[in-house]
Amino acid sequence: MTDLPSHDLIAQLRQICGAAHVLTHDDPGADLSPWEQDWRKRVRGHALAVVRPANTPEVAAVVKACAAAGASIVPQGGNTGLVVGGVPDNSGTQIVLSMTRMNAVRAIDPANLTITVEAGCVLQNLQAAAENAGFLFPLSLGAEGSCTIGGNLGTNAGGTQVVRYGNTRELCLGLEVVNAQGEVWNGLTGLRKDNTGYDLRNLMIGSEGTLGIITAATMKLYPLPAAQLTAWAAVPSMQAAVDLLGLAHQRLGPGLTGFEVMNQFALGLVDKHYPQLRVPLWQDTPWCVLLENSDSENEAHARAQFEALLEAALEAGCVSDAVVAENLTQARGLWHIRESITLAQAEEGLNIKHDISIPVSRIPAFVAETDALLAREVPGVRMVDFGHLGDGNLHYNVQAPEGVDGQVFLRDNEERVNTLVFEQVARYDGSISAEHGVGELKVGKLPLYKDPTALAMMRAVKKALDPQNLLNPGRVINCP
Amino acid sequence: MTDLPSHDLIAQLRQICGAAHVLTHDDPGADLSPWEQDWRKRVRGHALAVVRPANTPEVAAVVKACAAAGASIVPQGGNTGLVVGGVPDNSGTQIVLSMTRMNAVRAIDPANLTITVEAGCVLQNLQAAAENAGFLFPLSLGAEGSCTIGGNLGTNAGGTQVVRYGNTRELCLGLEVVNAQGEVWNGLTGLRKDNTGYDLRNLMIGSEGTLGIITAATMKLYPLPAAQLTAWAAVPSMQAAVDLLGLAHQRLGPGLTGFEVMNQFALGLVDKHYPQLRVPLWQDTPWCVLLENSDSENEAHARAQFEALLEAALEAGCVSDAVVAENLTQARGLWHIRESITLAQAEEGLNIKHDISIPVSRIPAFVAETDALLAREVPGVRMVDFGHLGDGNLHYNVQAPEGVDGQVFLRDNEERVNTLVFEQVARYDGSISAEHGVGELKVGKLPLYKDPTALAMMRAVKKALDPQNLLNPGRVINCP
């Protein structure tokens, strides 16, 4: 195959999508930075072009043109990813395939409890479409106002309701995908049971655009809960938080839709930088827990269940004090505190972030041991421990010692701290990327911490489905 | 690679597993029929040997020996599969790898809500181990006293609680697998979030032993429900059954753990052949529904919820009459009726079975149209329509006309009836194998009804992971 000169490819892409939807640096007044710059501003790439197809046949034609030209493709949704998986490299040869024009809700099937949407649909719009039809689409996360369902699927996004509804993977019933050969796989089934062959759907989900391009999806809907209550509990230790989780599973069953843990330092940062948020109960306890109870009956029932749980927990000693939000405003306020930790950390200065998971039972020992290890190895570090304890997922972040410049701290310590934390994660049978994915950021780490047989199988799958290495090369797995 | 003479391979296998655990037809008094004969007695194969490894290193060594000798391997659990996926062909060259000696429960982690078991563990023993520890393992199906969790994973088994807990796939968090190269992938994570690469777990699940051999698994546990109630409702039409399902989702939320539908003819067969079971309400209604409500509080609460649901349904006209089981014995009796349909059908004579799924919303039209089509094309056929309506899964079976010999009926009509039904399934965006898998039985049908791009990707994955085509060849996908 002879690679076409790039201007021929661009002419072809303009033919396919219309000139207005193929952006290049040569266009007058061009600014491709929204597509070339990653969310956390770690990397700035340089694309050959940004292509914005309107429908699936256009995506297929774009892939065929790129394959013929030997140009690699970086699929992109809302560009809110945290691991540098959706921006081009700086070679100037890659095509960014922006899916945001494909944002339609194609169908809602109430009796089948499904919604079919295009990949570029913003998560918040998908939530709203479901709610307008009288249903819940439970995926919920910080970036929901900008991220797309295609990106959520590509990265298997997690969020705050995983303890009950699972990750994006568990919410998906069917996909439409353009593969690396530019062929369309129509797998938009709304079926809950289909055992006709290999699970290509889950293979695509979480593959970060390296195995195919998700163009549409059929997602599960749930009945809207009749009531949703939020509580905030002070707990004397991480072990107590784990005990409270067990009690909550037992008492609330599937009503338990959220279980977040936050350490005192994390809440202290929120209190320091956003005193108006009035963080409750944090001053006299090492940890707080935020719980959410969704009820299919009514608020009174939810409240009675919640109060019985918290009483039992007080009696068992795994809770020292607790409040239940009186109304929606108070509930939102409590969630707002939880969600402000990241911003409060940023106010305090640069920090080293982790997105790890550990079996829930082993989290207390992991945190105690790793906190102590870091305190020993990097004296003065301040631990911002918080996360989705219900799923065993911690954002185990490391803030510079008091008075130390964040930039200097990161330069001198990031690699070392990462290694210390990741080695501990491996020792505790955990994962170095729980919900954010691999991208470019962790692709070099995977060989150190992932089972070598699994890596070999991943590489074989990548080579089989994308033999030209055209789809988002260098992300998830390196194929030399 | 030169293939070893088969006696050299057998000697090697005896070295690996011990002579007592390698069975051949040359052994004195040998009877390999339990491993060579499929459950429904459709096919009788002839193996070179049956090998019964005791642990994962033995499985790995067996695979390496077979790969070196060019002998293909048929993994087998309880041998209860319905699609001829677990017995050898009749070439006399295949190795049956029976997993039943690997039946240990390796670990239970209550705080993490997980159980780790070996592949050969019988499903009922896994359920019992969970219950003894105070938890529910919700997978439940007819063959649970004989089938193994490895087989359940290999075929992604469904069963009666899928409406709430999902298929076997959704219940699995981690796998240990021996791949086609005889390498062990240790993926026995108990993590609910792990985004470090491609989803090999779900790729293995449902691959029917064609991509790797599952040797152990970490499965999810749930709190035991405080109460479980069963109801039986007469409904005036299939559309009414679908409406009742919607109402049940709304009213019971995740409490709805079972939703089965049965037509009058199916229940009439049970009444005819097992009159002692005393089928309720069937005589004056075209359909009955069996519902199960699992409650995390107590029986009184479950009963109140159930009664409110049924009252609302009576009022809405989607239920004409209903009973709620008074106690566990009555509840078991109702389930026993549902489970006796298959046996009653067998008493009545041979019949043509289907295991299909359709989006729930389209089932009423599908059933009406397909019933009429079959009545027209094969006059006198009697439809045994029943199944897991909550999951859109019907066992849409066709009984010979009154007085016609079943054997003759099958000989003359099976292929034609299958084609009529499968074409209808395709028209309604359904699946020709909902929960039983593909095996050998449907491998030739897949190219007719499955998306060609998906088939091409499946073939590429098979060739990538098992280039010698050693693992259960000829099942799921043909690789010429």
Side-chain angles (χ1 to χ4, degrees), chain A residues 109 112 155-156 167 169 184 192-196 198-199 210 297 301 357 360-361 431 433 435 450 453, chain B residues 109 112 155-156 167 169 193-196 198-199 210 297 301 357 360-361 393 431 433 435 450 453:
Chain A
D109 184 340
N112 199 45
T155 58
N156 186 29
N167 301 286
R169 182 184 301 294
V184 180
R192 279 169 165 78
K193 284 183 173 171
D194 179 13
N195 280 348
T196 55
Y198 303 152
D199 188 358
T210 65
E297 293 177 61
H301 180 254
S357 61
V360 170
S361 51
S431 166
S433 180
E435 59 175 4
K450 183 107 183 164
T453 306
Chain B
D109 185 340
N112 199 44
T155 58
N156 185 30
N167 300 287
R169 182 184 301 294
K193 284 181 173 173
D194 179 14
N195 281 348
T196 55
Y198 303 152
D199 187 357
T210 64
E297 293 177 61
H301 180 254
S357 61
V360 170
S361 51
N393 178 194
S431 165
S433 181
E435 59 176 3
K450 184 107 184 165
T453 306

Side-chain angles (χ1 to χ4, degrees), chain A residues 106 175-177 183-189, chain B residues 429 451-454:
Chain A
R106 288 196 191 161
L175 292 179
E176 181 186 84
V177 169
E183 305 293 338
V184 180
W185 163 41
N186 182 354
L188 277 182
T189 155
Chain B
D429 298 326
D451 182 283
T453 306

Side-chain angles (χ1 to χ4, degrees), chain B residues 23 25 50 60 123 126 156 163 191 201 229 308 348 357 393 395 401 443:
Chain B
L23 318 175
H25 285 282
V50 174
L123 175 54
L126 168 49
N156 185 30
V163 66
L191 304 174
R201 177 185 76 208
L229 288 187
E348 187 72 5
S357 61
N393 178 194
H395 298 303
V443 70

Side-chain angles (χ1 to χ4, degrees), chain B residues 311-347:
Chain B
E311 263 168 49
L314 278 161
E315 214 160 286
C318 56
V319 161
S320 56
D321 200 356
V323 290
V324 179
E326 288 295 328
N327 51 46
L328 205 59
T329 312
Q330 282 186 10
R332 286 205 181 123
L334 294 176
W335 275 106
H336 189 49
I337 292 167
R338 158 67 182 83
E339 280 152 12
S340 299
I341 293 176
T342 308
L343 294 170
Q345 263 192 286
E347 292 285 342

